[in-house]
Amino acid sequence: MAVNYGSQRVVVGAHYGVRDWLAQRVTAALMALFTLVVLARLVFTSGPIGYDKWAGLFANQAMKALTFVTIVALLYHVWVGMRDVWMDYIKPVGLRLVLQILTIVYLVGCAGWAIQVLWRV
């Protein structure tokens, strides 16, 4: 007779743990770095800060690339956080799926808008 120890249930979402924890920290660090770069550029800018200064800040291709990477990091950071909130607090599977789909649609829309604004400068 074989003895089976432990639980036989499948825990949905348990495999996300360490990877998503690390992703949240890495994306947060990248966003903090971006914030420091923007603040440093603004602090060392002379004169009043208007549209021309902001446009000049983001006109450089390197700054556009850093901003693009930060936007992607922000969107992934939000997705991981919201997915975890939906999985933790919304028990009906159908409602959780609808909320996750709406979150994805909203984030893709935000990404399109942010990239359009960034490349318009």
Side-chain angles (χ1 to χ4, degrees):
M1 178 169 141
V3 178
N4 189 2
Y5 296 102
S7 175
Q8 294 297 318
R9 73 179 199 176
V10 176
V11 180
V12 176
H15 63 281
Y16 297 125
V18 174
R19 182 187 66 202
D20 286 345
W21 179 86
L22 185 60
Q24 288 286 87
R25 277 38 182 198
V26 169
T27 55
L30 181 63
M31 289 183 285
L33 174 68
F34 176 78
T35 302
L36 291 174
V37 168
V38 170
L39 286 175
R41 300 253 334 241
L42 290 176
V43 165
F44 295 115
T45 298
S46 61
I49 299 171
Y51 178 78
D52 57 333
K53 299 281 184 175
W54 277 106
L57 175 67
F58 293 98
N60 183 355
Q61 288 300 321
M63 191 62 180
K64 282 187 180 185
L66 179 60
T67 305
F68 177 75
V69 169
T70 304
I71 289 169
V72 171
L74 174 66
L75 294 171
Y76 188 69
H77 187 90
V78 171
W79 166 245
V80 170
M82 288 308 300
R83 188 198 63 219
D84 288 350
V85 168
W86 299 145
M87 287 193 316
D88 288 346
Y89 296 108
I90 307 299
K91 297 306 175 191
V93 176
L95 178 59
R96 186 183 327 145
L97 179 63
V98 167
L99 289 171
Q100 287 177 340
I101 289 170
L102 290 174
T103 302
I104 290 170
V105 168
Y106 176 75
L107 291 175
V108 167
C110 286
W113 175 74
I115 291 166
Q116 180 183 13
V117 168
L118 178 63
W119 258 262
R120 200 181 289 167
V121 172

